[in-house]
Amino acid sequence: MAVKRRIIKERVPTPERPPEERVKSFVEVNLGYTFELAVKEAERCLQCPYDYAPCIKGCPVHIDIPGFISKLVEYRDDPDRAVKEALNVIWACNSLPATTGRVCPQEDQCEMNCVMGRVGDKVNIGKLERFVADYAREKGIDEELLFEMVPRIEKKGQKVAIIGAGPAGLTAAGELAKLGYDVTIYEALHEPGGVLMYGIPEFRLPKSIVESEIDKLRKLGVKILTDHVVGKTVTMEELMKEYDAVFIASGAGTPRLVDAPGINLNGIYTANEFLTRVNLMKAYLFPEYDTPVKVGKKVIVIGAGNTAMDAARSARRFGVEVTIAYRRGPEDVSARVEEVEHAKEEGIKFVYFVNPVEFIGDGNGRIKAVKFEKMKPLDERDGRGKRKIVGTGEYVTLEADTVIIAIGKHPNRLIVNTPGLKVERGKIVVDENLMTSIPGVFAGGDAIRGEATVILAMGDGRLAAKAIHEYLTKKRESKNA
């Protein structure tokens, strides 16, 4: 006889630090679930069958989401076992769950088609994933799993070079190391992590979390060489000679600029530079770190994506007035809903339908104001589904002594200039297996997409690892034939 189940419609909220407290520091905003709250939220999952579950189909790395959530409920009387079982399920597809649980746009991916959404709130998948990873790290459960996993890895005797230690590169490295390959990552910066370290602020993704997840990859045998700029320190040709396969995961580190008079005035940053100074170079820890980052009393951030929110919310924590200026309307803001809500709670202003046309100086080489043209939306939509906009011929000037431009980034130019590498519009061209025009050289993440999300880059990393494994398996078999 079927047992009738009571459906809990409301999502279990995660505790957060209040806005008036969090704007004064870079301490993490969301405090995460306790085990009791995590179980309560896990009980809301309807446990859709694996072959049907829309949440799995929506996840770029295809985590068995009902599978890991079920472990929390099944072993609710033994928290350590519940988390160990859940982490084992997650790790089968995702080596960085503490990171993705914090920064993935779950509302647009795994949670978007959650069946619970038909009768109530969708299951809080991201926060459950984060809970599992955090609890496992704090209790040493992740180390237990690694200790059990490493001796079972069968070495293949083949070497893979990965260019870039960002989300795509780290994911591919973890998957390939588990398959028994000798993996070396070449990272241009002095710390691995890519955008996870230089782009996403401490209050959203503590750097200790990223360092911990990278440390696990090292324990799997992954070697990471920092301060190695491929194209300068070492060439692509040298890598292709030394390694059996190469994966390009160099990201999109070249910022786009506004083509307007005054762009070279002092006080104008790209979001890349500003966030790198604040995060990777730890300007937020002044005076312990003396990285120079001058933030005036009135800051304007141009753009409305996740990077713009990160820049705006970081600037706000220096105790200044911050305005986000966006050329479209609120319905076209591409940043996560949660980040926009947090920004508004923290006192950040939003000005819509304005496009910068001139940066005005104070006569001494510094920015003092930005002139915007007012824009008007049309009914017609562009290829991304956003309403097209046109200028009105009307203008407005806003005062600013600091401007941060966050309108997107291009892939690394040193890599795309490699002889024989097919590139279109600045992005590396790949086939369905992520192989480039050079045999044995694969690419993924922002290098092939342009600026995208962390989880999409990780999905590419996982797909590339699978393709590289198949490619190298054929090489071994043909060599032994």
Side-chain angles (χ1 to χ4, degrees), residues 130-187:
R130 168 192 163 166
F131 163 76
V132 169
D134 286 356
Y135 185 101
R137 185 183 65 259
E138 291 160 10
K139 295 279 189 172
I141 293 167
D142 52 359
E143 296 288 342
E144 278 181 45
L145 274 179
L146 275 174
F147 184 76
E148 294 169 6
M149 182 189 301
V150 171
R152 296 199 299 264
I153 296 174
E154 183 182 336
K155 294 294 183 181
K156 300 291 191 297
Q158 290 170 298
K159 297 163 60 179
V160 180
I162 295 178
I163 302 170
L170 293 173
T171 299
E175 294 299 312
L176 288 165
K178 285 187 280 188
L179 289 167
Y181 293 99
D182 183 354
V183 181
T184 301
I185 301 178
Y186 290 80
E187 169 55 45

Side-chain angles (χ1 to χ4, degrees), residues 149-362:
M149 182 189 301
V150 171
R152 296 199 299 264
I153 296 174
E154 183 182 336
K155 294 294 183 181
K156 300 291 191 297
Q158 290 170 298
K159 297 163 60 179
V160 180
I162 295 178
I163 302 170
L170 293 173
T171 299
E175 294 299 312
L176 288 165
K178 285 187 280 188
L179 289 167
Y181 293 99
D182 183 354
V183 181
T184 301
I185 301 178
Y186 290 80
E187 169 55 45
L189 297 176
H190 65 282
E191 292 280 355
V195 70
L196 307 176
M197 288 296 284
Y198 75 75
I200 301 175
E202 182 80 8
F203 55 81
R204 271 219 300 142
L205 178 62
K207 300 302 161 264
S208 60
I209 300 292
V210 182
E211 289 163 357
S212 173
E213 302 215 288
I214 291 172
D215 187 53
K216 293 181 185 65
L217 297 182
R218 286 193 171 106
K219 288 174 180 174
L220 284 172
V222 175
K223 294 185 283 292
I224 303 176
L225 303 177
T226 55
D227 299 311
H228 277 64
V229 181
V230 175
K232 293 286 187 181
T233 314
V234 61
T235 66
M236 273 290 293
E237 289 80 4
E238 289 171 326
L239 294 183
M240 287 186 285
K241 284 180 183 177
E242 185 179 348
Y243 293 88
D244 298 289
V246 177
F247 177 49
I248 301 171
S250 49
T254 306
R256 299 177 191 225
L257 295 173
V258 176
D259 184 15
I263 187 65
N264 292 319
L265 287 167
N266 290 324
I268 300 178
Y269 295 90
T270 64
N272 240 28
E273 179 189 357
F274 180 75
L275 289 170
T276 298
R277 286 173 181 259
V278 172
N279 299 321
L280 185 66
M281 306 304 292
K282 300 190 184 333
Y284 73 94
L285 291 177
F286 181 84
E288 182 182 349
Y289 288 79
D290 59 358
T291 301
V293 57
K294 184 174 176 59
V295 180
K297 294 180 180 179
K298 292 186 176 181
V299 178
I300 289 178
V301 177
I302 297 171
N306 288 316
T307 302
M309 297 303 142
D310 286 342
R313 295 178 66 202
S314 294
R316 182 75 180 94
R317 280 156 172 75
F318 287 94
V320 302
E321 179 184 313
V322 181
T323 300
I324 287 176
Y326 184 44
R327 62 189 183 133
R328 301 181 188 273
E331 70 277 9
D332 287 324
V333 168
S334 58
R336 295 186 65 189
V337 173
E338 181 181 49
E339 301 311 316
V340 175
E341 290 174 352
H342 281 163
K344 290 178 178 177
E345 289 171 0
E346 291 165 7
I348 293 169
K349 301 173 185 174
F350 285 72
V351 178
Y352 299 107
F353 294 114
V354 291
N355 193 41
V357 294
E358 183 182 0
F359 298 98
I360 302 168
D362 64 357

